[in-house]
Amino acid sequence: MNFDLSEEQEQLKDTVERYLSEQYGFEKYRELIASKDGWDRGNWAGLAEIGVLGINVPEQHGGLGFGPLETLTVMGACGRNLVLEPLLSSAVIATELLKAYSGNPAAAGLLSDMAIGKRIAVLAHFELDSRFETRWVTARAEARGTGFVLNAHKAVVMHAPAADEFLISARSAGSAQSESGVSLFRVPAGTRGLTLDAYPTIDGQRAADLYLKDVEVPASQLLGEQALGCIEAALDVGIAALCAESVGVMQALTEATVQYVQTRQQFGQPIGKFQALQHRIADMLIQLEQARSMSYLAALRCKDGDITLRRKSLAAAKTVVGQASRFIGQQAVQLHGGMGMTDELIVSHWFKRLTASELMFGDSDTHLQRFAALSRGD
């Protein structure tokens, strides 16, 4: 199979890499991560201007109409540069979910605004005790009058403090793990009864727990009923994008480590000449290439109509990429010595991003168990 990028994909990759290299250096990143918001609306506008925010938005809604392979190329570059803006949450996951409801005016208008960076939307689905089980939904949606009343607690909603809109899943029927009965609502930030408990994650990105207490939602903001399948499909696309981002971080970490051992002197020669360290670098490269291959598999399979095959492929990819992230991150820090753990060196920030990504949507052990269960036909 040919994994070379097309001319259009190469142009997209070069445009994004050039923009990030000019506008998103390490010092800029450190400035943003220490700021109140933890990201920059100017960068968001810049990403919109070069088309990044519209990659997954259909052309009829003002986007580029691309898909997972183009997303893979963009997320790799964003991982290397530790982009803090809500690309994964809004431009990938929320956009993919809204596409499933693009016939609904409430979704279509939001998609058009998101393509040009005018509005940010994020999915609020996982709950405190769900343990990354997508079917576990205890949030309640009660029909009342001409609309609905929502009561929920959504946990660790990535980039929630930056969001203008929330796509909130809530159960109108069935028990906590029922496959049916889950609806999806569009709820603007600032809606009465909606509160956020915001905090930084381990890598400095922003997240929040959402609390909805008797939040009144008009019927026009119901995006769809029986929404669980569409939510899971959007999250699968998000997992593939997250794998691609992690590979970008691992590539940068490996290159930085190779450069360091080639220049760091010990006993009158570069430490890269020591055979033991050469073996460790070789192991890092092997892990990187395995992870890259699995990220390609995730991108190719993340929209497969065969749900079992799709979820098995993504579980396998998330497992391998997560294991490689841990190995490469630990080796990079150790080979850099004590300075590898300091905030002044980008190595530590890459490592923290990999650590956070490995946990997002379920860690390697969770996905390994999921792969085993799907293989057994459970």
Side-chain angles (χ1 to χ4, degrees):
M1 183 175 290
N2 182 12
F3 288 109
D4 291 336
L5 299 178
S6 67
E7 182 178 349
E8 194 173 41
Q9 290 167 341
E10 283 285 3
Q11 290 175 347
L12 174 64
K13 179 174 179 286
D14 291 343
T15 299
V16 174
E17 288 181 344
R18 183 166 59 252
Y19 173 81
L20 292 175
S21 65
E22 293 173 355
Q23 304 293 330
Y24 218 100
F26 180 46
E27 290 307 315
K28 175 67 172 179
Y29 162 82
R30 292 186 65 195
E31 176 186 325
L32 288 178
I33 208 170
S35 68
K36 178 182 176 182
D37 294 333
W39 67 292
D40 181 34
R41 289 193 178 273
N43 285 337
W44 192 249
L47 291 168
E49 192 172 322
I50 63 175
V52 170
L53 305 188
I55 283 180
N56 294 294
V57 177
E59 293 182 21
Q60 62 266 35
H61 297 296
L64 298 177
F66 289 155
L69 292 177
E70 289 78 14
T71 301
L72 178 146
T73 64
V74 169
M75 293 302 294
C78 290
R80 169 185 287 273
N81 289 275
L82 294 173
V83 169
L84 293 164
E85 284 64 40
L87 278 176
L88 178 64
S89 299
S90 184
V92 179
I93 297 174
T95 296
E96 189 65 28
L97 182 53
L98 286 166
K99 281 163 59 177
Y101 299 101
S102 58
N104 185 322
L110 185 52
L111 271 174
S112 298
D113 286 345
M114 290 167 67
I116 59 174
K118 186 176 179 181
R119 296 190 76 73
I120 294 170
V122 301
L123 171 64
H125 177 65
F126 291 110
E127 300 181 1
L128 194 62
D129 50 358
S130 64
R131 188 59 184 171
F132 303 108
E133 174 52 59
T134 53
R135 293 184 180 180
W136 184 273
V137 179
T138 61
R140 304 304 301 186
E142 178 186 347
R144 186 178 300 177
T146 59
F148 300 85
V149 174
L150 305 184
N151 284 280
H153 173 195
K154 298 294 184 178
V156 198
V157 181
M158 289 302 300
H159 304 112
D164 302 301
E165 305 271 352
F166 295 104
L167 309 180
I168 297 178
S169 59
R171 187 172 292 283
S172 52
S175 61
Q177 287 186 292
S178 298
E179 188 173 353
S180 61
V182 176
S183 298
L184 185 69
F185 299 88
R186 172 183 170 179
V187 181
T191 298
R192 184 177 179 181
L194 170 64
T195 58
L196 277 66
D197 179 14
Y199 44 82
T201 57
I202 189 174
D203 60 336
Q205 296 191 82
R206 302 302 196 266
D209 278 22
L210 268 60
Y211 297 90
L212 292 87
K213 183 172 177 58
D214 296 329
V215 173
E216 296 181 2
V217 178
S220 60
Q221 290 176 209
L222 171 64
L223 295 177
E225 299 175 311
Q226 307 302 334
L228 190 59
C230 294
I231 292 171
E232 290 180 333
L235 288 170
D236 285 345
V237 172
I239 289 173
L242 182 63
C243 288
E245 181 188 66
S246 296
V247 170
V249 179
M250 285 186 274
Q251 178 76 52
L253 256 179
T254 302
E255 291 173 359
T257 304
V258 169
Q259 182 180 14
Y260 179 76
V261 300
Q262 288 175 342
T263 56
R264 174 73 167 89
Q265 297 280 326
Q266 189 73 33
F267 304 114
Q269 60 180 328
I271 62 174
K273 296 219 177 254
F274 301 143
Q275 191 174 51
L277 299 192
Q278 291 175 359
H279 289 168
R280 291 173 72 173
I281 293 290
D283 288 340
M284 290 174 68
L285 290 168
I286 291 170
Q287 292 282 339
L288 172 62
E289 292 308 314
Q290 287 177 337
R292 194 192 313 278
S293 296
M294 293 305 287
S295 75
Y296 290 155
L297 175 66
L300 291 170
R301 294 291 192 195
C302 69
K303 300 189 75 171
D304 200 297
D306 185 332
I307 296 176
T308 300
L309 178 61
R310 182 184 84 206
R311 305 218 78 186
K312 278 182 66 176
S313 299
L314 289 165
K318 188 66 165 64
T319 299
V320 172
V321 171
Q323 291 170 344
S325 295
R326 190 179 304 138
F327 180 85
I328 290 174
Q330 290 173 347
Q331 293 298 317
V333 168
Q334 291 172 16
L335 289 172
H336 276 83
M339 63 185 294
M341 292 298 294
T342 64
D343 279 349
E344 289 73 18
L345 197 68
I346 194 172
V347 167
S348 68
H349 298 273
W350 279 325
F351 184 33
K352 284 186 280 190
R353 177 63 66 91
L354 288 177
T355 301
S357 297
E358 201 268 338
L359 296 172
M360 196 181 297
F361 307 132
D363 60 13
S364 298
D365 290 341
T366 297
H367 282 275
L368 185 59
Q369 292 171 8
R370 184 173 297 172
F371 180 84
L374 290 167
S375 298
R376 293 192 304 266
D378 294 354

